[in-house]
Amino acid sequence: MSEHDTHTTCQHAHDHEAGETGLRASRRDVIKGVVASGVAVSSTGYVVAGRSTEAAAQTAGAVERMVRLNVNGNDRTVDVLPQETLVQTLRYKLGLTGTKIGCDHSECGNCTVLVDGVATYSCTTLTQRVRGKKVVTIEGIAGPNGQLHKVQKAMMEELAPQCGFCTPGQIVTAVALLNQNAKPTEDEVMVALSGNLCRCGAYNHYLNAVMRASKEA
Ligand code: FES
Ligand code: FES
Protein backbone atom coordinates (compact mmCIF):
# COMPACT_ATOMS: atom_id res chain seq x y z
CA MET A 1 0.00 0.00 0.00
CA SER A 2 1.51 3.37 -1.02
CA GLU A 3 1.65 6.36 1.29
CA HIS A 4 -1.08 8.01 -0.76
CA ASP A 5 -3.32 4.97 -0.62
CA THR A 6 -2.73 4.74 3.11
CA HIS A 7 -3.64 8.38 3.53
CA THR A 8 -6.79 7.94 1.45
CA THR A 9 -7.79 4.90 3.49
CA CYS A 10 -7.32 6.82 6.72
CA GLN A 11 -9.36 9.76 5.40
CA HIS A 12 -12.19 7.48 4.38
CA ALA A 13 -12.06 5.76 7.74
CA HIS A 14 -12.33 9.12 9.47
CA ASP A 15 -15.31 10.22 7.37
CA HIS A 16 -17.16 7.00 7.95
CA GLU A 17 -16.49 6.98 11.65
CA ALA A 18 -17.98 10.45 12.04
CA GLY A 19 -21.30 9.38 10.56
CA GLU A 20 -21.59 5.76 11.63
CA THR A 21 -20.85 5.54 15.29
CA GLY A 22 -22.57 2.19 15.56
CA LEU A 23 -19.93 0.60 13.35
CA ARG A 24 -17.05 2.56 14.81
CA ALA A 25 -15.33 -0.12 16.87
CA SER A 26 -15.37 -2.92 14.32
CA ARG A 27 -14.53 -0.70 11.35
CA ARG A 28 -11.67 0.97 13.17
CA ASP A 29 -10.23 -2.43 14.03
CA VAL A 30 -10.37 -3.46 10.38
CA ILE A 31 -8.74 -0.22 9.17
CA LYS A 32 -6.05 -0.50 11.80
CA GLY A 33 -5.27 -3.99 10.61
CA VAL A 34 -5.05 -2.93 6.97
CA VAL A 35 -2.81 0.05 7.69
CA ALA A 36 -0.59 -1.97 9.99
CA SER A 37 -0.05 -4.66 7.39
CA GLY A 38 0.67 -2.03 4.71
CA VAL A 39 3.31 -0.36 6.83
CA ALA A 40 4.91 -3.70 7.56
CA VAL A 41 5.13 -4.56 3.89
CA SER A 42 6.53 -1.23 2.73
CA SER A 43 8.89 -0.74 5.66
CA THR A 44 10.52 -4.07 4.92
CA GLY A 45 11.72 -2.70 1.61
CA TYR A 46 12.95 0.59 2.94
CA VAL A 47 14.63 -0.78 6.03
CA VAL A 48 16.53 -3.40 4.08
CA ALA A 49 17.18 -0.97 1.22
CA GLY A 50 18.83 1.39 3.71
CA ARG A 51 21.38 -1.20 4.84
CA SER A 52 24.85 -1.37 3.36
CA THR A 53 25.62 -4.11 0.85
CA GLU A 54 28.08 -5.59 3.34
CA ALA A 55 25.45 -5.75 6.07
CA ALA A 56 22.94 -7.29 3.69
CA ALA A 57 25.45 -9.91 2.60
CA GLN A 58 25.69 -11.13 6.17
CA THR A 59 22.11 -12.40 5.90
CA ALA A 60 21.80 -15.47 3.73
CA GLY A 61 19.65 -14.74 0.67
CA ALA A 62 19.38 -11.01 1.37
CA VAL A 63 21.68 -9.89 -1.43
CA GLU A 64 19.63 -11.68 -4.08
CA ARG A 65 16.57 -9.73 -3.00
CA MET A 66 18.22 -6.39 -3.68
CA VAL A 67 17.35 -5.36 -7.23
CA ARG A 68 18.92 -2.39 -8.95
CA LEU A 69 17.05 -0.92 -11.86
CA ASN A 70 16.65 2.42 -13.54
CA VAL A 71 13.15 3.87 -13.26
CA ASN A 72 12.31 6.99 -15.23
CA GLY A 73 15.99 7.93 -15.41
CA ASN A 74 16.73 7.35 -11.73
CA ASP A 75 18.80 4.44 -10.41
CA ARG A 76 16.84 2.66 -7.70
CA THR A 77 17.67 -0.22 -5.40
CA VAL A 78 14.70 -2.08 -4.02
CA ASP A 79 14.24 -5.08 -1.75
CA VAL A 80 12.15 -7.41 -3.89
CA LEU A 81 10.48 -10.69 -2.99
CA PRO A 82 11.08 -13.57 -5.42
CA GLN A 83 7.44 -13.64 -6.55
CA GLU A 84 6.97 -9.86 -6.67
CA THR A 85 5.71 -8.43 -9.94
CA LEU A 86 7.02 -5.25 -11.47
CA VAL A 87 3.71 -3.43 -11.05
CA GLN A 88 3.73 -4.27 -7.34
CA THR A 89 7.24 -2.87 -6.99
CA LEU A 90 6.38 0.26 -8.95
CA ARG A 91 3.15 1.01 -7.12
CA TYR A 92 3.80 -0.20 -3.57
CA LYS A 93 7.56 0.18 -3.14
CA LEU A 94 8.31 3.16 -5.39
CA GLY A 95 4.99 4.99 -5.14
CA LEU A 96 4.48 5.17 -8.92
CA THR A 97 0.73 4.63 -8.90
CA GLY A 98 0.18 5.90 -12.44
CA THR A 99 0.62 2.32 -13.66
CA LYS A 100 -2.72 0.61 -13.13
CA ILE A 101 -3.67 -2.95 -12.29
CA GLY A 102 -6.70 -4.13 -14.24
CA CYS A 103 -6.89 -7.88 -14.88
CA ASP A 104 -3.52 -8.73 -13.28
CA HIS A 105 -3.30 -11.57 -15.83
CA SER A 106 -1.76 -10.17 -19.06
CA GLU A 107 -5.12 -9.48 -20.67
CA CYS A 108 -5.98 -5.77 -20.45
CA GLY A 109 -2.74 -3.81 -20.88
CA ASN A 110 -3.54 -1.35 -18.09
CA CYS A 111 -0.21 -2.09 -16.46
CA THR A 112 1.96 -1.44 -19.53
CA VAL A 113 5.39 0.10 -18.97
CA LEU A 114 8.52 0.28 -21.09
CA VAL A 115 11.33 -2.14 -20.26
CA ASP A 116 14.40 -1.21 -22.28
CA GLY A 117 12.02 0.51 -24.70
CA VAL A 118 9.66 -2.43 -25.18
CA ALA A 119 6.02 -2.17 -24.10
CA THR A 120 5.65 -4.76 -21.34
CA TYR A 121 2.84 -5.97 -19.08
CA SER A 122 4.21 -5.25 -15.63
CA CYS A 123 1.57 -7.38 -13.88
CA THR A 124 3.15 -10.58 -15.14
CA THR A 125 6.78 -9.50 -15.21
CA LEU A 126 8.80 -10.44 -12.15
CA THR A 127 10.85 -7.52 -10.87
CA GLN A 128 13.75 -9.91 -10.46
CA ARG A 129 13.73 -10.28 -14.26
CA VAL A 130 14.26 -6.58 -14.93
CA ARG A 131 17.39 -6.35 -12.82
CA GLY A 132 19.66 -3.69 -14.35
CA LYS A 133 17.14 -2.69 -17.01
CA LYS A 134 15.58 0.68 -17.84
CA VAL A 135 11.93 0.99 -16.89
CA VAL A 136 9.78 3.91 -17.98
CA THR A 137 6.34 4.36 -16.45
CA ILE A 138 3.64 6.88 -17.34
CA GLU A 139 5.26 9.25 -14.82
CA GLY A 140 8.39 9.27 -17.02
CA ILE A 141 6.72 9.96 -20.36
CA ALA A 142 6.47 13.76 -20.06
CA GLY A 143 9.58 15.89 -20.55
CA PRO A 144 11.92 16.90 -17.70
CA ASN A 145 10.10 20.19 -17.19
CA GLY A 146 6.68 18.58 -17.27
CA GLN A 147 5.96 19.33 -20.92
CA LEU A 148 3.57 16.72 -22.23
CA HIS A 149 4.68 14.16 -24.78
CA LYS A 150 3.01 14.61 -28.17
CA VAL A 151 1.05 11.41 -27.55
CA GLN A 152 -0.32 12.82 -24.30
CA LYS A 153 -1.30 16.08 -26.03
CA ALA A 154 -2.97 14.23 -28.90
CA MET A 155 -4.95 12.05 -26.50
CA MET A 156 -6.33 15.14 -24.81
CA GLU A 157 -7.12 16.80 -28.15
CA GLU A 158 -8.95 13.69 -29.37
CA LEU A 159 -10.84 13.34 -26.05
CA ALA A 160 -9.53 9.80 -25.73
CA PRO A 161 -9.62 9.35 -21.95
CA GLN A 162 -13.13 8.69 -20.70
CA CYS A 163 -12.80 7.24 -17.20
CA GLY A 164 -9.04 7.34 -17.82
CA PHE A 165 -8.21 4.02 -16.20
CA CYS A 166 -6.70 2.50 -19.33
CA THR A 167 -5.06 5.75 -20.47
CA PRO A 168 -1.59 5.28 -18.92
CA GLY A 169 -1.25 1.90 -20.63
CA GLN A 170 -2.54 3.28 -23.94
CA ILE A 171 -0.05 6.16 -23.82
CA VAL A 172 2.94 3.98 -22.96
CA THR A 173 2.05 1.52 -25.73
CA ALA A 174 1.64 4.34 -28.25
CA VAL A 175 4.98 5.88 -27.26
CA ALA A 176 6.69 2.52 -27.74
CA LEU A 177 5.13 2.22 -31.19
CA LEU A 178 6.10 5.72 -32.35
CA ASN A 179 9.65 5.25 -31.05
CA GLN A 180 9.95 2.24 -33.35
CA ASN A 181 7.75 3.41 -36.21
CA ALA A 182 7.31 7.17 -36.42
CA LYS A 183 4.75 7.07 -39.25
CA PRO A 184 2.54 4.02 -38.69
CA THR A 185 -0.53 3.23 -40.74
CA GLU A 186 -3.91 2.99 -39.05
CA ASP A 187 -3.69 -0.78 -39.25
CA GLU A 188 -0.32 -0.74 -37.54
CA VAL A 189 -1.67 1.45 -34.76
CA MET A 190 -4.66 -0.83 -34.28
CA VAL A 191 -2.38 -3.86 -34.02
CA ALA A 192 -0.10 -2.06 -31.56
CA LEU A 193 -3.01 -1.00 -29.34
CA SER A 194 -4.82 -4.34 -29.61
CA GLY A 195 -3.36 -5.44 -26.29
CA ASN A 196 -4.86 -2.47 -24.46
CA LEU A 197 -8.51 -2.92 -23.57
CA CYS A 198 -10.76 0.05 -22.85
CA ARG A 199 -13.91 -0.63 -20.90
CA CYS A 200 -15.27 2.75 -21.99
CA GLY A 201 -14.95 1.71 -25.63
CA ALA A 202 -12.96 4.77 -26.69
CA TYR A 203 -10.93 2.79 -29.20
CA ASN A 204 -11.47 5.16 -32.12
CA HIS A 205 -10.43 8.11 -29.98
CA TYR A 206 -7.18 6.39 -29.01
CA LEU A 207 -6.57 5.40 -32.63
CA ASN A 208 -7.17 8.96 -33.86
CA ALA A 209 -4.90 10.32 -31.13
CA VAL A 210 -1.97 8.14 -32.11
CA MET A 211 -2.44 9.04 -35.78
CA ARG A 212 -2.54 12.72 -34.81
CA ALA A 213 0.63 12.35 -32.73
CA SER A 214 2.39 10.60 -35.61
CA LYS A 215 1.81 13.65 -37.80
CA GLU A 216 3.47 15.98 -35.25
CA ALA A 217 7.07 16.91 -35.85
S1 FES B 1 -3.21 -5.59 -15.38
FE1 FES B 1 -1.57 -6.29 -16.59
S2 FES B 1 -2.47 -6.86 -18.46
FE2 FES B 1 -4.16 -6.36 -17.18
S1 FES C 1 -11.12 5.35 -20.90
FE1 FES C 1 -12.21 4.13 -19.42
S2 FES C 1 -11.31 2.18 -19.65
FE2 FES C 1 -10.49 3.30 -21.27
Side-chain angles (χ1 to χ4, degrees):
M1 180 178 292
S2 70
E3 185 178 336
H4 173 74
D5 291 338
T6 304
H7 173 78
T8 305
T9 302
C10 292
Q11 184 63 48
H12 286 173
H14 175 77
D15 294 344
H16 284 298
E17 282 171 7
E20 301 174 31
T21 51
L23 296 174
R24 179 176 297 171
S26 59
R27 182 165 300 176
R28 178 178 295 156
D29 288 343
V30 170
I31 296 294
K32 272 184 181 172
V34 171
V35 171
S37 62
V39 169
V41 168
S42 57
S43 66
T44 300
Y46 291 119
V47 168
V48 178
R51 300 169 62 195
S52 68
T53 305
E54 186 180 359
Q58 290 170 0
T59 306
V63 171
E64 290 79 2
R65 285 175 51 162
M66 304 306 291
V67 172
R68 287 179 65 86
L69 66 169
N70 183 287
V71 182
N72 297 333
N74 301 309
D75 289 330
R76 308 295 298 262
T77 302
V78 194
D79 176 34
V80 174
L81 297 171
Q83 72 276 21
E84 188 171 314
T85 61
L86 181 55
V87 72
Q88 291 173 330
T89 303
L90 293 170
R91 287 179 58 86
Y92 307 132
K93 298 269 177 75
L94 300 179
L96 297 169
T97 53
T99 302
K100 305 304 182 199
I101 301 175
C103 66
D104 211 15
H105 291 291
S106 280
E107 291 176 358
C108 71
N110 290 170
C111 64
T112 305
V113 300
L114 301 182
V115 176
D116 283 352
V118 177
T120 302
Y121 290 164
S122 60
C123 71
T124 43
T125 300
L126 292 178
T127 309
Q128 296 280 354
R129 300 297 298 271
V130 300
R131 199 180 281 271
K133 295 181 187 283
K134 290 187 177 173
V135 177
V136 177
T137 69
I138 186 64
E139 290 89 346
I141 295 295
N145 298 319
Q147 67 270 31
L148 295 181
H149 189 282
K150 63 182 179 181
V151 168
Q152 292 174 306
K153 281 190 215 159
M155 295 231 174
M156 291 171 61
E157 287 157 354
E158 292 292 339
L159 303 177
Q162 302 299 304
C163 77
F165 194 81
C166 73
T167 307
Q170 304 274 11
I171 290 172
V172 170
T173 300
V175 169
L177 169 67
L178 296 184
N179 285 344
Q180 296 292 320
N181 178 4
K183 299 292 177 193
T185 64
E186 276 198 1
D187 283 350
E188 288 170 331
V189 174
M190 282 192 276
V191 168
L193 293 183
S194 62
N196 291 77
L197 304 186
C198 174
R199 287 177 297 182
C200 299
Y203 294 108
N204 279 347
H205 294 262
Y206 284 114
L207 171 62
N208 293 339
V210 179
M211 293 309 294
R212 179 192 278 252
S214 72
K215 295 183 175 75
E216 297 278 325

